[in-house]
Amino acid sequence: MAPKLPPQPPLQHSNTAVADSQSHGHAAPPKGILRWLLTTNHKEIGSLYLIFSLTMFFIGGIFALVVRAELFQPGLQLVEPEFFNQMTTMHGLIMVFAAVMPAFTGLANWMIPLQIGAPDMALPRLNNFSFWLLPVAFTLLLSTLFMPGGGPNFGWTFYAPLSTTYAPPSTTFFILALHIAGISSILGAINIIATILNMRAPGMRLMDMPLFVWTWLITAFLLIAVMPVLAGVITMMLMDINFGTSFFDAAGGGDPVLFQHLFWFFGHPEVYIMILPAFGIVSAIIPTFARKPLFGYASMVYATAAIALLSFLVWAHHMFIVGLPLVAELFFMYSTMLIAVPTGVKVFNWVTTLFRGSISFESPMLFSLAFVVLFTIGGFSGLMLAIAPADFQYHDTYFVVAHFHYVLVPGAIFAIMAGVYYWLPKWTGHYPNEKLAQWHFWFSIIGVNLTFFPMHFAGLAGMPRRIPDYALQFADFNLLSSIGAFFFGASQLLFVLVVILCVRGGKKAPAKAWEGAEDLEWTVPSPAPLHTFETPPVFHRASH
Amino acid sequence: MDRREQAQVGVRRTVIRTLAVLVGMFAFAFALVPLYDVFCQITGINGKVDATAQSIVHEGVDESRYINVQFITRGSPGLPWQMSVETRQMSVHPGQMAEVDFTFTNNSHSENWGRAVPSVSPSRATTHLRKISCFCFEEQQLEGDERLTIPLVFQLARDLPEDINTITLVYTLYPVDRVIQSVSLDNALQSNTLNDSQSDLRNDLKNNKVVGETI
Ligand code: HEM
Ligand SMILES: [Cu+2]
């Protein structure tokens, strides 16, 4: 426990920030690019995060399409195997660290202050810094593709010694980029925790907070706990590569398996970092469009916390085949299955919320419903993989690829899109074009399933992942997957169109844009003015 | 104190605490390295064998069981040596002493240093394998074109778990960079195409480490 601090002096830097932006009217912000470079406003920073994430989503998407184009037919036709490996690696890294994570941070920036009645994030300047680290990190990462020897080619999990002894010379830059991105996430997490714990509207207890705020609070704690471990691992890699240590080098007494333990100690909580905020978004949208309060609010909170705690005890389910002793296999198998219990509680609560609701099917709701169904499929394939002896067979096959894409694309990404459609009226003052949004939804859902469902079968039939060529019997599955991938990729252009149209105009939205929406963000006008809740709102406890 | 000040104090407290956790977790990641080694040593999980000579235990030979012991040898790119073994597999009783000859050949014309790193599978057998004498205990030096035969003397403990019938011993040869030997520097440079000053540093550190502790 930190010592009890004397009440004085007040925190200097945020004091001035608060004073500048609030008490004495608002100084005119600098114009043009400087405004965005220097902004400390949570809404503007939120928008920056979201735009960055969307850009990276397309860059990562193009890499995926290179992969799918090569896999369209058996045989090597379009790219060299070396380049293929760089594409799979970069796709994974960009999607995880530059698309999904920043999107959630962007939503957190926009919505957490609005949902808890705070005027801004607790540390606005730090917030600006956290964001601007990201373009630096990922420009650096992408630039490795043009370096001699090419970019990272060892998979997003960068197992040593592939990523140390056998890595391209650019690996040092990869490590640096990941360090910078990691610092950005850590600072973002500190800011979010500080905001949620200290800046809630008077009268709002922790158990009154909307679930998006709750899930983000828990996610932020996960980030604080595991990002330093990631930083530690890549620092060890850096030393192995450049300073002759042998953390992961058997020749010098190290152990490559240690790398996997450390990586997955970070890696498994990381996958929950990418899904918990999604749970929060869906838990906001489903009650709104079912016009019923969320079923089992408290159990949702406890389930989220339970998932977060358990996520520290399951990491070796990614390592069933490294030669763990039997007791370890059993322990990690059962602990992994145990996670399905709190996850099941959540799914149960969503479905029960729908039960006898007066449901309407606007685009945010469609994406949320698809989330519930398809995420659950991903959870089930996860359960199959959790069976250690079965995983001996499935590991490193396309079945694993199918599993994690089901939890990440119609899971995390659909939830982000649902959130964007849900909150766009608040951000822009206009409803998104519902017709186009619905087309976007149907195209996406067809694309996702066409792409990833056949991968289950390819994997069960034994197709290994991360290969540029494959045996003939997998040709049909891959053909379908590739068609689906291009279809899905193209339909995301519709999403961009809807967002741009919505920013420029559209049906005017009132403060409370959705009939059944309850949280505090719907009490401020649409579009939300740059500065909101400068005097804390009066919080009325809804009956959860 | 008004609300705003209160919030500021709270924010400061939160930041300090989260920073403390951050530092703690970063240190924890590094602490896991020695912890992992200790854990593996006690349990023998990662197949690393005790690298000091053990003495023979006279516990009688269990003639009711035959254990198939297999030997695999592997070279590595940085070292122009070849390692071979007199027999690929042998049958021994638990408790019985056994000896097998390994031959090291230096295929280059220059002297260099290497070491054979052992690994045992299944890893559960690790703690039941006693090595009475092994070339793997220390680094070796071979003159140019030299050929050297060294025996491995070992004994399987009688309490070897019932269900283990086959034990595989893998030896992987690794180059040892000795800065004094300019020849081995050449080797290192061959295997390491990064820049020279870096690989010097690498030699230095690795050398210290390898000399400082016996694996
Ligand atoms: C019921 C819940 C879940 C269970 C039981 C589960 C189980 C597993 C298992 C056993 C593996 C390892 C498979 C192998 O490599 O052989 C795996 C891989 C993976 N899971 Fe899950 N999982 C679950 C939920 C999630 C969620 C929510 C996410 C992310 C949002 C996720 C993302 C991943 C990823 C990215 C991988 C592959 C990592 C890689 O090797 O590249 N999983 N899962
Ligand atoms: Cu996992």
Side-chain angles (χ1 to χ4, degrees):
Chain A
M1 281 282 116
K4 216 172 159 54
L5 292 163
Q8 295 293 330
L11 195 57
Q12 217 51 48
H13 118 231
S14 85
N15 192 19
T16 42
V18 168
D20 280 350
S21 65
Q22 299 195 6
S23 319
H24 322 291
H26 305 295
K31 290 269 171 291
I33 185 104
L34 267 191
R35 166 172 171 204
W36 294 101
L37 271 176
L38 301 178
T39 178
T40 56
N41 181 286
H42 74 101
K43 301 187 183 79
E44 292 182 337
I45 294 178
S47 300
L48 285 174
Y49 266 108
L50 289 169
I51 294 166
F52 175 80
S53 152
L54 187 60
T55 315
M56 288 294 156
F57 178 60
F58 276 93
I59 294 179
I62 288 169
F63 295 164
L65 292 186
V66 173
V67 169
R68 278 321 321 172
E70 176 60 53
L71 294 176
F72 185 69
Q73 285 178 4
L76 291 176
Q77 34 270 327
L78 294 174
V79 295
E80 297 295 316
E82 291 76 22
F83 187 68
F84 182 92
N85 288 344
Q86 293 172 37
M87 287 291 101
T88 52
T89 306
M90 278 294 198
H91 163 69
L93 290 170
I94 294 284
M95 285 304 191
V96 169
F97 294 103
V100 174
M101 291 172 72
F104 282 131
T105 317
L107 291 173
N109 261 292
W110 250 105
M111 301 321 298
I112 288 178
L114 286 179
Q115 289 196 320
I116 63 174
D120 203 314
M121 298 293 280
L123 306 157
R125 293 196 207 171
L126 189 74
N127 204 10
N128 171 293
F129 183 59
S130 320
F131 170 74
W132 284 108
L133 286 176
L134 285 180
V136 176
F138 290 99
T139 311
L140 186 61
L141 183 65
L142 288 172
S143 71
T144 59
L145 284 175
F146 304 100
M147 292 181 185
N153 55 8
F154 28 66
W156 84 277
T157 50
F158 50 96
Y159 281 7
L162 263 186
S163 60
T164 51
T165 317
Y166 305 102
S170 66
T171 305
T172 304
F173 293 98
F174 154 79
I175 293 173
L176 186 61
L178 219 52
H179 263 309
I180 300 174
I183 291 171
S184 164
S185 309
I186 287 172
L187 297 180
I190 293 180
N191 213 339
I192 287 169
I193 297 177
T195 308
I196 297 176
L197 292 187
N198 302 295
M199 303 193 41
R200 295 190 307 279
M204 183 188 267
R205 299 167 311 179
L206 284 176
M207 285 309 268
D208 295 326
M209 300 190 311
L211 266 167
F212 179 64
V213 180
W214 252 120
T215 51
W216 240 115
L217 179 64
I218 293 169
T219 303
F221 276 115
L222 284 182
L223 280 166
I224 297 289
V226 300
M227 289 315 271
V229 177
L230 174 69
V233 185
I234 56 179
T235 306
M236 291 175 204
M237 276 172 61
L238 188 75
M239 299 204 284
D240 270 11
I241 294 173
N242 294 310
F243 306 119
T245 55
S246 337
F247 286 103
F248 309 129
D249 184 3
D255 190 340
V257 175
L258 172 65
F259 175 91
Q260 297 188 27
H261 281 293
L262 290 174
F263 179 83
W264 287 115
F265 188 81
F266 147 80
H268 187 81
E270 167 69 20
V271 308
Y272 283 97
I273 287 167
M274 293 190 283
I275 203 68
L276 295 185
F279 291 166
I281 295 171
V282 169
S283 304
I285 294 175
I286 288 184
T288 298
F289 294 92
R291 294 167 180 77
K292 271 178 67 190
L294 183 70
F295 181 85
Y297 170 88
S299 68
M300 282 297 209
V301 173
Y302 295 131
T304 312
I307 292 175
L309 287 178
L310 282 174
S311 76
F312 287 104
L313 299 177
V314 301
W315 77 89
H317 64 214
H318 297 273
M319 306 169 54
F320 281 140
I321 60 153
V322 299
L324 299 176
L326 188 64
V327 272
E329 302 265 353
L330 286 170
F331 173 81
F332 287 108
M333 174 165 122
Y334 289 127
S335 61
T336 303
M337 292 178 172
L338 205 58
I339 289 205
V341 176
T343 315
V345 168
K346 289 187 158 287
V347 174
F348 177 83
N349 286 347
W350 291 320
V351 173
T352 313
T353 306
L354 291 169
F355 186 65
R356 295 201 163 161
S358 40
I359 306 176
S360 58
F361 296 91
E362 285 89 342
S363 46
M365 183 61 159
L366 287 176
F367 275 99
S368 301
L369 293 175
F371 171 95
V372 175
V373 175
L374 299 181
F375 172 79
T376 306
I377 294 182
F380 279 134
S381 58
L383 274 175
M384 291 171 70
L385 292 168
I387 305 167
D391 186 66
F392 280 37
Q393 171 76 14
Y394 305 151
H395 180 71
D396 264 346
T397 68
Y398 258 82
F399 192 79
V400 178
V401 180
H403 156 65
F404 67 74
H405 282 93
Y406 262 86
V407 283
L408 285 172
V409 184
I413 305 257
F414 271 25
I416 291 166
M417 286 171 170
V420 169
Y421 283 138
Y422 183 55
W423 284 310
L424 262 177
K426 185 53 59 194
W427 301 339
T428 66
H430 312 287
Y431 285 100
N433 182 324
E434 186 59 25
K435 203 170 230 150
L436 284 179
Q438 301 240 351
W439 277 107
H440 171 229
F441 170 75
W442 289 109
F443 282 161
S444 296
I445 201 139
I446 294 169
V448 155
N449 285 297
L450 191 56
T451 312
F452 299 116
F453 210 73
M455 289 184 185
H456 288 112
F457 304 118
L460 290 177
M463 176 167 165
R465 64 191 282 211
R466 293 172 171 158
I467 48 158
D469 184 10
Y470 49 85
L472 292 180
Q473 70 264 33
F474 307 124
D476 293 347
F477 293 135
N478 278 283
L479 182 101
L480 288 177
S481 284
S482 288
I483 294 175
F486 277 87
F487 188 75
F488 180 78
S491 46
Q492 297 323 304
L493 295 173
L494 256 181
F495 177 65
V496 180
L497 181 69
V498 176
V499 172
I500 291 176
L501 288 180
C502 183
V503 171
R504 304 178 79 187
K507 199 174 128 210
K508 287 260 173 300
K512 185 170 165 177
W514 308 105
E515 185 193 2
E518 296 297 346
D519 295 323
L520 273 180
E521 75 262 33
W522 306 108
T523 61
V524 305
S526 300
L530 204 53
H531 300 276
T532 38
F533 293 135
E534 289 172 356
T535 42
V538 188
F539 176 74
H540 298 291
R541 186 153 299 135
S543 51
H544 277 304
Chain B
M1 210 168 33
D2 74 356
R3 280 191 54 81
R4 187 158 289 161
E5 278 169 36
Q6 230 170 16
Q8 277 156 12
V9 174
V11 167
R12 185 190 197 136
R13 188 174 47 222
T14 313
V15 170
I16 291 173
R17 285 184 187 169
T18 43
L19 284 178
V21 177
L22 276 174
V23 174
M25 287 307 291
F26 190 71
F28 174 67
F30 280 85
L32 280 175
V33 179
L35 284 176
Y36 175 81
D37 273 346
V38 170
F39 184 75
C40 289
Q41 230 160 40
I42 296 171
T43 55
I45 284 175
N46 63 352
K48 281 190 198 168
V49 201
D50 200 341
T52 48
Q54 282 158 289
S55 45
I56 312 169
V57 178
H58 297 284
E59 49 185 0
V61 176
D62 177 359
E63 297 197 339
S64 65
R65 286 176 76 191
Y66 266 117
I67 311 296
N68 186 11
V69 183
Q70 307 176 322
F71 304 98
I72 296 176
T73 56
R74 302 195 307 176
S76 70
L79 191 68
W81 290 11
Q82 203 189 332
M83 182 177 175
S84 55
V85 56
E86 145 198 35
T87 166
R88 288 264 152 226
Q89 53 180 323
M90 62 199 298
S91 283
V92 297
H93 297 299
Q96 181 190 353
M97 282 265 288
E99 189 176 322
V100 55
D101 278 339
F102 285 78
T103 306
F104 296 80
T105 318
N106 186 347
N107 290 331
S108 74
H109 301 302
S110 51
E111 164 209 69
N112 34 40
W113 287 80
R115 110 170 288 144
V117 176
S119 170
V120 178
S121 139
S123 48
R124 271 186 315 137
T126 314
T127 44
H128 304 278
L129 177 72
R130 290 191 203 108
K131 293 189 178 180
I132 288 97
S133 128
C134 179
F135 44 83
C136 57
F137 295 156
E138 49 211 32
E139 295 159 18
Q140 297 161 63
Q141 182 203 17
L142 287 188
E143 301 296 332
D145 300 310
E146 189 184 342
R147 192 186 172 89
L148 189 66
T149 299
I150 319 179
L152 160 73
V153 184
F154 69 94
Q155 181 187 31
L156 293 177
R158 283 203 58 168
D159 57 2
L160 185 74
E162 279 300 323
D163 55 323
I164 297 183
N165 304 315
T166 304
I167 296 177
T168 312
L169 258 163
V170 183
Y171 287 96
T172 312
L173 276 175
Y174 288 106
V176 174
D177 304 321
R178 297 227 158 183
V179 220
I180 337 125
Q181 264 87 27
S182 55
V183 246
S184 74
L185 241 185
D186 284 343
N187 263 326
L189 288 179
Q190 258 170 26
S191 65
N192 183 353
T193 46
L194 290 175
N195 70 53
D196 294 9
S197 62
Q198 254 178 15
S199 66
D200 274 2
L201 186 58
R202 189 192 183 111
N203 288 332
D204 238 283
L205 284 170
K206 201 171 260 173
N207 193 39
N208 286 343
K209 173 150 189 178
V210 171
V211 172
E213 59 179 72
T214 338
I215 306 162

